[in-house]
Amino acid sequence: MELNLLTLEETATLRNLLSHATHIVICAHKSPDGDAIGSSLAWMHYLKQTGKTDVRVCMPDATPDFLHWLPGHNSVIRYDRHPREVEKAFREADLVCCLDFNQNSRVDAMQEVLESSKAARLLIDHHLEPDTGNALTISHPEMSSTSEIVFRLISQLDGYRDMTKPCAACIYCGMMTDTGGFTYNSSRPEIFYIIGQLLAKGVDKDEIYNRVFHNYSPNALRLRAHIILNKMKVIEELHASYYTVTKEEMTQFHFIKGDMEGLVNVPQQIKGLKLSISLREDTEKPSLVLVSLRSCNGFHCQPMAARFFNGGGHADASGGKLHCTIEEAEQIAIRAILYYKDELQ
Ligand code: 5GP
Ligand code: MN
């Protein structure tokens, strides 16, 4: 099966970048999800397997608890905890690999550190509209995940034979989380061919599923149930749904990072629903509302995320943020839904 993504010229550029790199930094977006952290760690494992000894994974902030088991996770350096160490890594780097994000602003507070680095930059991503100006941009929005791209790159660089089980597990986790357990963005035969290749490395897919998706505390499950039961609004004639989550509610249910992960997908279980919006108050910054959007049944939420929520992402899974109160955010969501009423009807 054809897995190669790069042209001959791109392959030569990548080989050249890698062969000249001795101090390598890998980074991904703020609030790393399974794909961001999975692809970053897989790329780290691969680079180490090729003999690189100085490969550092630097993340803007914490990974949710349900991903801490990922092989190599304990070596990740968090910018919010160890800014000096991260600054030093970026300063010393001769290659910076940016995984699973398209715009520098997605690394949030780490943006300045990233931009001040003199290192050559390699972008590996699957979001729409990537920033340019990299030594090599490997951007494939048609791919399920950055982890899938990483697999294909390793394979194209003849690294599959030596791929370790930890590396394979990281890739599997990223592909699984970015496709909702292979329920969307995952209909291409190559994806299941790749899964087969990962299983051949000894990856236990059921164990990974349990670690990631069956990891809620009782409080987290109650918070999720509360939102669906008491907060979800459905505008049936426009096949749209939204909910708000306040800081108070999160405190009430002892919220920890990751507890709300994927909840925005749940309203999509309503027959015919085209759009689901999640509006959640940030736990730290006041007047910041985090927005998640999901679409299906022919509607695409990415333009809405860009126009109304200062964001973007994928055609059917986008996000953004609003600097306002949760009540104002709700009004913006209603306006956004009405703006697209002809497409949603
Ligand atoms: P989530 O809803 O899981 O937080 O994010 C879904 C997708 O939306 C992410 O994969 C990312 O592509 C995109 N996204 C989330 N937040 C932002 C943001 O603030 N800006 C942009 N441009 N994209 C975002
Ligand atoms: Mn991703």
Side-chain angles (χ1 to χ4, degrees):
M1 195 162 264
E2 180 60 52
L3 295 183
N4 288 352
L5 284 178
L6 305 181
T7 62
L8 281 176
E9 196 187 338
E10 287 169 332
T11 314
T13 308
L14 180 56
R15 282 190 191 280
N16 191 39
L17 274 174
L18 295 180
S19 69
H20 286 95
T22 43
H23 305 292
I24 303 174
V25 166
I26 299 170
C27 63
H29 60 77
K30 182 187 154 67
S31 299
D33 56 12
D35 188 34
I37 190 82
S39 60
S40 296
L41 290 173
W43 192 234
M44 175 192 81
H45 289 303
Y46 167 70
L47 293 173
K48 288 194 166 173
Q49 167 202 319
T50 64
K52 304 291 179 191
T53 50
D54 183 11
V55 186
R56 282 176 272 189
V57 176
C58 299
M59 291 288 169
D61 59 355
T63 312
D65 285 6
F66 62 83
L67 295 168
H68 286 190
W69 60 271
L70 278 166
H73 183 267
N74 55 7
S75 69
V76 172
I77 315 170
R78 277 172 56 180
Y79 180 66
D80 61 342
R81 285 273 175 87
H82 306 285
R84 297 289 96 74
E85 215 178 312
V86 169
E87 281 161 19
K88 184 166 178 281
F90 273 94
R91 201 169 46 242
E92 290 173 357
D94 42 28
L95 177 66
V96 170
C97 308
C98 298
L99 270 69
D100 201 40
F101 67 95
N102 51 350
Q103 287 147 3
N104 290 348
S105 60
R106 297 279 287 127
V107 302
D108 207 57
M110 211 168 76
Q111 182 173 353
E112 211 181 301
V113 184
L114 168 66
E115 289 177 349
S116 61
S117 170
K118 305 246 181 332
R121 198 178 309 168
L122 165 65
L123 183 109
I124 306 176
D125 181 44
H126 71 134
H127 294 92
L128 298 164
E129 299 161 6
D131 275 350
T132 50
N134 306 297
L136 179 62
T137 301
I138 303 174
S139 166
H140 286 272
E142 76 282 12
M143 292 291 125
S144 67
S145 53
T146 301
S147 298
E148 180 186 347
I149 301 176
V150 164
F151 181 90
R152 288 167 176 256
L153 295 180
I154 295 173
S155 168
Q156 191 161 2
L157 294 170
D158 304 316
Y160 175 71
R161 202 183 49 121
D162 295 331
M163 182 181 281
T164 59
K165 182 176 163 185
C167 180
C170 293
I171 293 174
Y172 185 83
C173 179
M175 290 179 66
M176 182 191 79
T177 51
D178 254 25
T179 57
F182 304 103
T183 59
Y184 49 81
N185 274 345
S186 47
S187 286
R188 278 174 302 103
E190 291 87 345
I191 291 178
F192 289 84
Y193 177 76
I194 293 171
I195 295 171
Q197 302 258 66
L198 296 170
L199 294 175
K201 292 289 178 184
V203 164
D204 185 337
K205 74 179 210 15
D206 300 349
E207 186 188 354
I208 294 178
Y209 188 96
N210 279 326
R211 283 183 160 173
V212 171
F213 293 124
H214 294 173
N215 194 40
Y216 295 123
S217 65
N219 274 320
L221 209 56
R222 289 196 177 97
L223 171 60
R224 297 167 78 92
H226 161 71
I227 299 302
I228 297 299
L229 182 63
N230 302 315
K231 303 298 295 291
M232 181 181 71
K233 304 270 195 307
V234 182
I235 306 168
E236 288 196 45
E237 61 280 16
L238 296 183
H239 308 104
S241 152
Y242 69 87
Y243 59 77
T244 59
V245 187
T246 65
K247 228 182 295 189
E248 205 180 317
E249 286 164 320
M250 289 186 276
T251 308
Q252 186 191 341
F253 290 95
H254 307 282
F255 172 87
I256 57 162
K257 200 165 186 162
D259 281 356
M260 297 300 288
E261 192 87 20
L263 188 68
V264 65
N265 297 309
V266 171
Q268 288 188 300
Q269 294 172 17
I270 298 170
K271 190 175 179 181
L273 201 92
K274 294 184 179 177
L275 171 70
S276 169
I277 304 178
S278 162
L279 305 165
R280 178 163 69 83
E281 284 185 327
D282 189 70
T283 47
E284 282 140 40
K285 292 184 197 137
S287 292
L288 176 63
V289 176
L290 307 173
V291 186
S292 283
L293 300 105
R294 297 293 184 271
S295 55
C296 56
N297 289 318
F299 181 76
H300 301 297
C301 60
Q302 199 264 353
M304 177 186 272
R307 183 183 285 270
F308 285 92
F309 301 109
N310 309 305
H314 310 284
D316 292 320
S318 301
K321 43 175 122 38
L322 293 170
H323 297 275
C324 64
T325 65
I326 193 81
E327 291 80 16
E328 286 162 342
E330 183 170 356
Q331 293 312 311
I332 292 169
I334 293 170
R335 277 212 299 282
I337 292 169
L338 292 175
Y339 184 88
Y340 289 95
K341 68 177 186 314
D342 293 342
E343 289 167 57
L344 286 167
Q345 252 162 19

